[in-house]
């Protein structure tokens, strides 16, 4: 009986938490000002991509084309007061709806209040992909099958959420050696990753797996690995109005959205988000974000980056691998095609 009471209490706690986050997003919706909306073009079965960005102008052309080629039909983007021409570029894109937010990224729960509002308002009933401009989704068969094929199979399999491990990518040499050009595939430069060195544990309350490790853990958080950034994400969800993201896309509510793994020894489908943060542009960006203090834990992560990057840090090491394709990632156990043959 005690177990049942505990389970009931947890369910009530999570329901209250979900309602609180949803109410918070609704209360902050006026912080997100419409700039150039094309949401009337969204069709019933369109796959939508939700993004918060600031000063990512140089990345945007490749980012948008990458996801267009995968099968995204419409982008819903919040620009957090950029001053690099990002907003002007996005206004010209016919498949982009743009909002402007001048408020604090940190005070908006690192942008998630804004995204939760847009998901509530426009995402309901759609497969919704929520990513950052430096994240490129890779999933089984992505070289031959579009996102529409993936989500149709997930619908048929009664799966409502798709997990992806954040896989940090980095160059072979020093981070600042190769300049990144607008429109360039960032993987031409940041082509390497750690094939192992990952820690996984289960979050008992939310039910998600918490993954840490990789180059950021070993290079920036070597003495405090428990403070290393989380690498687990659930970026693709068949969205419904009661849903919310709790901590970035690391975990969501209701709890069932996080249970994207098999505890009985089998395999469930999963992908990877190739995280191309570590380009030459990141050196200046890490300094800016450290000074702004708008990121998690008073930008502690960016403080760690900045300290290392001042010394022309090299993330490459003897065990690093160069990215090939999704099959390589599956062979390494980093993604899985599950039952999607």
């Amino acid at each position: 009986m005690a177990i049942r009471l505990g389970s009931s209490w947890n369910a009530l706690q999570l329901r209250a938490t979900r309602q609180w986050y949803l109410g918070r997003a609704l209360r902050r919706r006026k912080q997100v000002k419409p700039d150039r909306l094309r949401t009337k073009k969204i069709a019933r079965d369109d796959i939508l991509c939700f993004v918060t960005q600031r000063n990512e102008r140089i990345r945007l052309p490749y980012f948008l084309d990458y996801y267009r080629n995968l099968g995204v039909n419409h982008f819903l983007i919040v620009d957090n007061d950029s001053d690099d021409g990002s907003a002007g570029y996005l206004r010209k894109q016919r498949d982009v709806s743009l909002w402007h937010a001048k408020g604090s990224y940190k005070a908006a729960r690192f942008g998630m209040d804004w995204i939760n509002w847009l998901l509530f308002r426009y995402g309901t009933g759609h497969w919704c992909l929520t990513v950052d401009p430096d994240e490129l989704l890779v999933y089984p068969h992505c070289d031959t099958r579009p996102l529409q094929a993936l989500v149709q199979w997930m619908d048929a399999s009664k799966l409502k959420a798709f997990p992806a491990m954040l896989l940090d990518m980095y160059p072979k040499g020093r981070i600042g050696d190769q300049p990144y050009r607008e429109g360039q595939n960032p993987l031409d430069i940041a082509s390497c990753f750690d094939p192992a060195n990952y820690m996984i544990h289960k979050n008992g309350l939310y039910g998600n797996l918490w993954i840490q490790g990789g180059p950021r853990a070993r290079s920036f958080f070597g003495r405090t690995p428990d403070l290393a950034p989380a690498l687990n994400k659930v970026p693709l969800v068949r969205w419904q109005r009661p849903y919310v993201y709790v901590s970035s896309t690391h975990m969501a509510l209701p709890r069932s959205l996080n249970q994207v793994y098999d505890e009985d020894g089998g395999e469930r489908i999963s992908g990877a988000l190739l995280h191309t943060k570590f380009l030459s542009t990141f050196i200046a960006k890490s300094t800016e974000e450290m000074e702004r203090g708008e990121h998690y834990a008073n930008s502690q992560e960016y403080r760690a980056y900045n300290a290392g990057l001042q010394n022309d840090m090299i993330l490459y090491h003897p065990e690093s691998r160069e990215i090939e394709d999704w099959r390589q990632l599956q062979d390494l156990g980093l993604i899985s095609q599950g039952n999607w043959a």
Side-chain angles (χ1 to χ4, degrees):
M1 180 63 71
I3 294 176
R4 288 185 180 178
L5 287 173
S7 299
S8 297
W9 171 250
N10 284 344
L12 289 171
Q13 182 182 3
L14 290 175
R15 182 179 180 183
T17 300
R18 176 176 56 79
Q19 291 174 337
W20 185 82
Y21 280 122
L22 188 56
R24 180 185 170 107
L26 295 177
R27 290 191 299 273
R28 286 161 172 75
R29 65 187 183 276
K30 292 184 179 179
Q31 295 179 1
V32 185
K33 307 292 186 182
D35 188 311
R36 186 65 57 85
L37 301 192
R38 299 179 175 91
T39 51
K40 290 183 179 179
K41 294 183 177 181
I42 295 174
R44 180 178 178 180
D45 294 326
D46 279 355
I47 297 174
L48 309 181
C49 182
F50 293 77
V51 184
T52 300
Q53 78 92 40
R54 173 181 164 82
N55 288 344
E56 298 285 7
R57 172 67 181 84
I58 194 171
R59 288 184 180 270
L60 291 174
Y62 186 85
F63 171 83
L64 293 173
D65 282 344
Y66 182 85
Y67 283 107
R68 285 165 179 151
N69 290 333
L70 277 189
V72 167
N73 302 106
H74 200 86
F75 298 85
L76 297 91
I77 300 180
V78 178
D79 177 69
N80 185 205
D81 212 20
S82 295
D83 57 14
D84 69 341
S86 295
Y89 176 78
L90 291 169
R91 287 187 195 107
K92 298 175 183 178
Q93 309 305 308
R94 295 184 178 181
D95 53 359
V96 171
S97 288
L98 181 66
W99 288 261
H100 182 232
K102 292 192 68 172
S104 166
Y105 178 74
K106 183 177 182 180
R109 287 199 315 113
F110 314 105
M112 293 316 297
D113 287 340
W114 304 331
I115 291 298
N116 274 335
W117 157 243
L118 294 184
L119 284 163
F120 175 87
R121 176 65 179 82
Y122 299 102
T124 298
H126 292 272
W127 278 98
C128 297
L129 178 68
T130 303
V131 290
D132 292 335
D134 59 8
E135 296 174 348
L136 303 177
L137 179 66
V138 172
Y139 55 87
H141 308 291
C142 61
D143 51 351
T144 56
R145 303 179 192 176
L147 272 172
Q148 283 85 351
L150 173 62
V151 299
Q152 286 170 10
W153 176 82
M154 292 184 69
D155 280 334
S157 303
K158 302 188 184 310
L159 299 174
K160 54 188 176 182
F162 180 83
M165 176 181 170
L166 197 67
L167 192 63
D168 288 318
M169 308 299 298
Y170 49 86
K172 271 191 171 182
R174 295 181 301 179
I175 289 173
D177 279 354
Q178 299 182 64
Y180 176 70
R181 304 185 308 275
E182 179 180 320
Q184 184 180 11
N185 182 348
L187 298 176
D188 290 344
I189 298 172
S191 60
C192 301
F193 66 95
D194 282 16
N197 184 36
Y198 298 103
M199 305 171 291
I200 304 176
H201 69 271
K202 183 178 177 180
N203 182 314
L205 179 61
Y206 287 95
N208 60 304
L209 297 180
W210 202 254
I211 306 174
Q212 294 169 292
R216 285 188 285 177
R218 62 178 167 80
S219 298
F220 301 112
F221 296 90
R223 295 183 180 179
T224 54
D226 56 315
L227 298 179
L231 304 178
N232 50 287
K233 292 205 168 189
V234 186
L236 182 62
V237 175
R238 168 68 92 168
W239 205 262
Q240 300 298 331
R241 282 205 162 193
Y243 294 177
V244 291
Y245 277 121
V246 175
S247 175
S248 181
T249 57
H250 300 306
M251 54 192 181
L253 286 174
R255 191 174 186 265
S256 58
L257 296 176
N258 302 318
Q259 296 169 333
V260 289
Y261 50 89
D262 194 322
E263 293 187 291
D264 298 322
E267 287 192 11
R268 295 270 294 273
I269 191 168
S270 66
L273 286 170
L274 305 185
H275 190 210
T276 63
K277 180 187 291 285
F278 296 109
L279 300 174
S280 58
T281 53
F282 182 67
I283 297 175
K285 193 170 183 65
S286 69
T287 301
E288 177 190 359
E289 296 303 330
M290 182 188 70
E291 293 172 350
R292 290 179 70 231
E294 285 287 308
H295 288 265
Y296 183 73
N298 197 29
S299 295
Q300 175 178 283
E301 184 178 340
Y302 280 90
R303 293 176 188 278
Y305 295 155
N306 196 257
L309 290 169
Q310 294 299 329
N311 296 318
D312 295 325
M313 175 165 280
I314 297 175
L315 297 178
Y316 185 85
H317 71 120
E319 299 302 318
S320 297
R321 299 282 186 91
E322 285 200 71
I323 190 73
E324 296 173 10
D325 55 22
W326 68 267
R327 293 174 183 82
Q328 174 199 31
L329 300 181
Q330 179 167 258
D331 290 343
L332 291 168
L334 299 175
I335 73 172
S336 174
Q337 64 183 358
N339 295 324
W340 195 32

